[in-house]
Amino acid sequence: MSLPSSISFLAPAKLNLFLRVFGKRPDGYHDIRSVMTPVSLYDEVILEKAAEANGITVECDAAEVPTDETNSCWRAASLFREWCGFTWGVRITIRKRIPVEAGLGGGSSDAAATLKCLCALTGLRPSPAEYLSMAARIGADVPFFTMGTTALVEGYGDILTPMPLDTLFYAVIVKPSFGLSTREGYARLKRDVTQRPESGNVPLFPSLTALALSVRNDFEDAWAMEFPEIARIKEELLSAGALAAGLSGSGSALFGLFPSESEAREGLAQMQNRSVETGARKYFVAGNIL
Ligand code: ATP
């Protein structure tokens, strides 16, 4: 079987349909409970074998994304090479559509796409356990993106339970003009250290109404004082007909849920027509990937 010399994969964004944060644990992490679902807003990650032995180069069309060894794709390629020892160079190109520092998991998804590309380019695939541990070493959300399906996320983000989600929805995703850092979000959350996570069964969402009732994000309170724009966007999404609206991850992007693509586009048009001063917001419509 001949192996390709270049390949590309789409890297989807994720939404946290809900995100609860509990007390800080002795290891410094917070316990969380969240449902994460991939949606059809994509970066594209392209990998090419290159002549320069052992070199990893990254190019990205978004200036705010680092292209050095701190790039998540660079780290993914480096770990994969450590695992299987390929000796050729690799050129990584990221076509960025997922906004950065938005809580949409773009960097983590790009890394998961890089691992997929490398499996295809080398014809090698780590065992499921090795693959997950490699993903976890790159970043907290990377294991989720290697699974490619909706999941209940617990522990500090390390315990993943795939869950079926038959309910289709479309989301209007709004990224305010500013990004937010996950690290800072956790620092602002005032959590009682004794607050333990509620344990419970994997939630089931038999209908979009049931799903909408679960939407909630503890980071909204953490940012409320300094960024009133977050509550404003949430309010606008609800006024535009969203069944529910909330922050994704630690922000700054919010999403509103709609039953169909046409209703989502109608809601988006209503928001854009309000012609209030919204700065450099970005808007997207995306469906969940079943
Ligand atoms: P999460 O929800 O996982 O916290 P996020 O969407 O808030 O993610 P990202 O956009 O993934 O955050 O990236 C956060 C930081 O990671 C950026 O500020 C950027 O400097 C760095 N980074 C490294 N690699 C990438 C990448 N491939 N794409 C985007 N950002 C990257």
Side-chain angles (χ1 to χ4, degrees):
M1 185 186 73
S2 75
L3 295 167
S5 60
S6 72
I7 192 152
S8 75
F9 278 105
L10 291 176
K14 56 89 174 160
L15 297 178
N16 296 77
L17 295 175
F18 70 79
L19 173 54
R20 304 280 335 264
V21 184
F22 302 96
K24 212 178 198 178
R25 312 163 359 151
D27 62 9
Y29 290 107
H30 289 264
D31 275 307
I32 66 163
R33 184 172 163 88
S34 183
V35 168
M36 301 205 319
T37 194
V39 292
S40 61
L41 165 63
Y42 300 101
D43 288 343
E44 187 183 5
V45 177
I46 304 150
L47 259 73
E48 294 161 278
K49 288 184 184 172
E52 319 85 59
N54 291 321
I56 301 171
T57 58
V58 179
E59 272 177 41
C60 181
D61 54 6
E64 66 272 36
V65 173
T67 52
D68 60 7
E69 65 284 354
T70 63
N71 186 285
S72 59
C73 298
W74 197 100
R75 298 216 311 277
S78 170
L79 283 177
F80 196 94
R81 190 175 56 193
E82 220 173 80
W83 171 73
C84 72
F86 64 82
T87 51
W88 27 269
V90 55
R91 196 175 309 129
I92 304 172
T93 308
I94 307 165
R95 299 215 172 108
K96 200 83 195 149
R97 279 206 65 222
I98 305 172
V100 174
E101 289 202 324
L104 299 171
S108 303
S109 188
D110 293 349
T114 301
L115 294 179
K116 256 166 110 176
C117 287
L118 285 166
C119 290
L121 291 182
T122 59
L124 300 169
R125 193 181 168 89
S127 69
E130 277 173 321
Y131 203 56
L132 271 185
S133 105
M134 195 182 287
R137 284 173 68 191
I138 306 166
D141 291 340
V142 185
F144 162 75
F145 284 109
T146 61
M147 278 184 4
T149 174
T150 301
L152 175 68
V153 185
E154 296 171 294
Y156 66 84
D158 57 324
I159 305 172
L160 294 174
T161 311
M163 56 178 269
L165 182 64
D166 299 333
T167 316
L168 249 186
F169 64 78
Y170 279 82
V172 172
I173 299 170
V174 186
K175 160 74 176 39
S177 56
F178 52 88
L180 292 172
S181 128
T182 304
R183 187 186 294 260
E184 217 179 296
Y186 274 105
R188 278 162 198 244
L189 272 174
K190 298 276 175 291
R191 280 287 175 269
D192 177 352
V193 284
T194 61
Q195 204 186 0
R196 305 310 323 151
E198 65 206 6
S199 57
N201 297 329
V202 174
L204 290 175
F205 302 123
S207 66
L208 187 52
T209 316
L211 194 161
L213 284 171
S214 297
V215 169
R216 156 177 192 173
N217 186 321
D218 286 350
F219 282 105
E220 286 172 24
D221 288 343
W223 299 119
M225 290 288 281
E226 198 176 332
F227 298 99
E229 171 82 340
I230 289 177
R232 206 176 300 135
I233 292 174
K234 186 168 170 172
E235 202 37 60
E236 285 179 40
L237 282 162
L238 293 170
S239 305
L243 298 174
L247 198 66
S248 186
S250 55
S252 62
L254 291 101
F255 63 89
L257 299 181
F258 293 83
S260 66
E261 183 172 5
S262 58
E263 284 158 285
R265 296 208 177 274
E266 170 60 24
L268 171 57
Q270 277 188 39
M271 284 184 79
Q272 288 175 315
N273 284 342
R274 279 217 187 96
S275 72
V276 280
E277 183 43 65
T278 55
R281 280 187 196 169
K282 285 187 187 136
Y283 296 96
F284 307 88
V285 170
N288 59 329
I289 302 168
L290 294 183

